[in-house]
Amino acid sequence: MSDAAPVRARLAWEHTHRELLPSLLTLRALEARGVPWQLQHVRKLDRQPGREVLLLPFYYDPSDVDRYLFRTGVAGKVLLNMLYEQMHFACARRYLLPDGALAHAHMTHCAWGPRFVELLVAHGVAPERIRITGHPRFDVYAHPELLLSRETMAATYGLDAGKPWILVPYNFNLAYIRDDLRSSLIARGYALTQPFIDGVRDARDAFTAMVRTLAAAVPGAELILRVHPAGYEAASLYAGDAKRFENLHVIAQYDIANWIRQSALTIVWNSTSAMECMVAGTPVIGFEPEPFGERFDYDVNRILPTYRTVDEVIDLARRAPDITLRYDWALFERWYAHRDGRNAERLADVVTELAAQYDAHAAPTGFEPPLRGRVRAALERTPVAERLVRSKRHVPPQPGPEAVREAVRRGSTEPLLGWLK
């Protein structure tokens, strides 16, 4: 590297509950390497001078330049695509794998394991543009100091800390998808057929019936119905069930790692949170009344022991916390290469590698935003126009930079607790 100012890292995040805890670990690893850093929401990225590595939570195709990169620009920047969606139904593959000249020629991509490397290469990404870094979220389970205590969670949500907790993550966003959004995703390569959508809705109905039966059949356990915090599925949809059953609690707050760590059993449909349970060492099973995952090529329910009947689930839940399960670790490791708590270190290593060879990795001129994006960026510099133009959708409250720096320095979420909820 030259004597110029050091290359900084700007880490962008999309979903607070998915990305902020692993982001704190990544920033801490960067700071230990002497890399200046900044944290911004992906829709709040702004244009800044100087040399920097932009860590993006996702980049799917050139339309993402117009969605959020028009504010910062990409020419002269090094782009690292963290790709936070890597295990998916086959029908989503064309949408979720990165497309376009920018992605294929001037971007480095993180893979969590060898299976995703295979998918990227088959999609036209050169192997030298891929780094296996492991899943950033797995590191959270090696750092319990980032998570809430059982006593705090019990007091906050009226749970009995002495009873086993059974976690039920919901993942039925597509059952509620709007027609306009569905059309937009189809146009970008997501094969959302009507049989697929109908299957998600059928699974939601069967899963909800199972939860009601389970709440009645296992009164000695606390059931936590975890509505997906990033999507279209509101907690209010299931508020009636929480009133009907004293031991059923509908909760969407805080990173799911808090709930996984305290659960005696987690029951998923097709949620990759199951992989986190395996890393955390807490029992997890799949419930699929019909083999939806098999029909649409999804490995979660091949890795897990998956049950077809409610009676089987009830029998297992009654034995919590004395549960022993077997998983397909070989298939797991095809998707996830590392679970040693050092994935933030690997990600920081990639950042320092790219910074050391900055000119070789920086996107050249010619990748500026299209005219519409440049006009929007110019308009947003005025307060009145910002209120009219800037999209507020999916932009969570922003943490104060000093609170973030204190959290990174201390290796603790305490400075951010009110915001992380």
Side-chain angles (χ1 to χ4, degrees):
M1 292 181 64
S2 68
D3 294 331
V7 177
R8 72 175 174 271
R10 188 154 34 137
L11 195 158
W13 97 95
E14 182 185 21
H15 298 304
T16 302
H17 288 173
R18 180 179 70 179
E19 296 155 49
L20 255 294
L21 294 185
S23 291
L24 292 178
L25 296 172
T26 300
L27 295 175
R28 189 172 175 83
L30 289 169
E31 190 159 280
R33 287 160 173 74
V35 178
W37 56 264
Q38 184 179 6
L39 180 70
Q40 283 189 319
H41 190 269
V42 71
R43 292 184 182 273
K44 293 285 189 177
L45 289 172
D46 55 3
R47 186 175 291 272
Q48 297 184 14
R51 304 192 307 165
E52 61 180 359
V53 178
L54 283 176
L55 291 86
L56 308 175
F58 65 90
Y59 183 91
Y60 302 135
D61 58 45
S63 68
D64 287 324
V65 174
D66 194 50
R67 289 173 68 193
Y68 69 89
L69 280 176
F70 71 86
R71 295 188 179 99
T72 185
V74 297
K77 306 294 185 183
V78 171
L79 305 174
L80 181 58
N81 188 5
M82 293 185 289
L83 283 161
Y84 255 93
E85 299 285 346
Q86 297 201 9
M87 182 183 279
H88 45 255
F89 293 104
C91 61
R93 193 158 294 156
R94 186 168 155 240
Y95 165 59
L96 291 173
L97 292 172
D99 274 324
L102 180 62
H104 285 204
H106 302 289
M107 190 175 286
T108 301
H109 306 277
C110 297
W112 297 342
R115 175 60 179 146
F116 200 68
V117 173
E118 294 171 2
L119 295 174
L120 287 171
V121 171
H123 196 65
V125 177
E128 58 268 24
R129 298 209 160 269
I130 305 169
R131 305 290 186 276
I132 294 182
T133 55
H135 193 342
R137 286 195 53 80
F138 288 177
D139 284 11
V140 173
Y141 300 97
H143 293 273
E145 68 275 8
L146 295 178
L147 303 177
L148 300 173
S149 71
R150 186 179 185 87
E151 292 70 27
T152 297
M153 296 163 71
T156 303
Y157 296 101
L159 303 168
D160 188 332
K163 293 181 177 180
W165 294 0
I166 296 177
L167 175 64
V168 188
Y170 264 42
N171 193 23
F172 303 111
N173 280 329
L174 291 176
Y176 303 94
I177 193 169
R178 304 186 315 271
D179 287 342
D180 61 332
L181 180 55
R182 178 181 172 183
S183 298
S184 172
L185 292 175
I186 290 173
R188 297 180 70 188
Y190 201 145
L192 288 173
T193 63
Q194 194 58 49
F196 185 85
I197 298 294
D198 290 343
V200 176
R201 290 171 178 159
D202 290 345
R204 172 204 59 195
D205 294 343
F207 219 80
T208 302
M210 181 273 293
V211 169
R212 291 169 181 158
T213 303
L214 189 63
V218 192
E222 298 277 35
L223 268 68
I224 299 159
L225 193 161
R226 166 72 177 193
V227 177
H228 200 294
Y232 332 111
E233 193 171 34
S236 59
L237 294 166
Y238 308 102
D241 292 321
K243 292 177 181 178
R244 180 179 170 190
F245 299 101
E246 186 177 330
N247 63 333
L248 179 57
H249 310 265
V250 181
I251 302 173
Q253 286 78 33
Y254 291 113
D255 190 302
I256 196 172
N258 293 284
W259 304 102
I260 286 174
R261 180 169 170 255
Q262 299 296 342
S263 294
L265 175 66
T266 298
I267 306 166
V268 304
W269 176 55
N270 280 304
S271 174
T272 53
S273 62
M275 308 297 100
E276 296 184 38
C277 295
M278 292 172 63
V279 172
T282 60
V284 57
I285 63 167
F287 174 65
E288 278 198 316
E290 62 92 14
F292 185 87
E294 293 177 18
R295 285 198 293 127
F296 291 97
D297 188 17
Y298 196 51
D299 278 347
V300 164
N301 295 95
R302 299 184 180 110
I303 293 171
L304 303 178
T306 297
Y307 296 83
R308 303 290 185 204
T309 71
V310 177
D311 287 343
E312 291 175 304
V313 175
I314 290 173
D315 178 66
L316 192 66
R318 282 174 173 162
R319 290 189 271 128
D322 299 317
I323 296 172
T324 302
L325 298 169
R326 297 182 66 181
Y327 309 109
D328 188 338
W329 284 105
L331 183 53
F332 174 98
E333 288 168 358
R334 286 203 71 208
W335 286 98
Y336 304 102
H338 304 294
R339 46 191 169 98
D340 58 2
R342 298 190 62 254
N343 292 331
E345 302 286 334
R346 293 182 179 90
L347 189 56
D349 286 343
V350 174
V351 172
T352 54
E353 172 206 341
L354 298 178
Q357 305 171 25
Y358 192 90
D359 292 339
H361 293 284
T365 57
F367 282 100
E368 287 297 334
L371 178 61
R372 182 172 63 172
R374 296 200 298 274
V375 170
R376 289 171 67 189
L379 287 173
E380 288 183 358
R381 296 190 185 106
T382 65
V384 173
E386 180 182 17
R387 290 195 294 271
L388 297 174
V389 177
R390 185 185 287 269
S391 171
K392 302 296 184 184
R393 189 165 60 94
H394 300 321
V395 181
Q398 309 300 294
E402 291 308 314
V404 174
R405 292 199 174 274
E406 182 66 9
V408 170
R409 185 186 69 80
R410 292 166 52 184
S412 167
T413 54
E414 186 176 347
L416 300 172
L417 276 183
W419 174 77
L420 283 172
K421 186 174 182 178

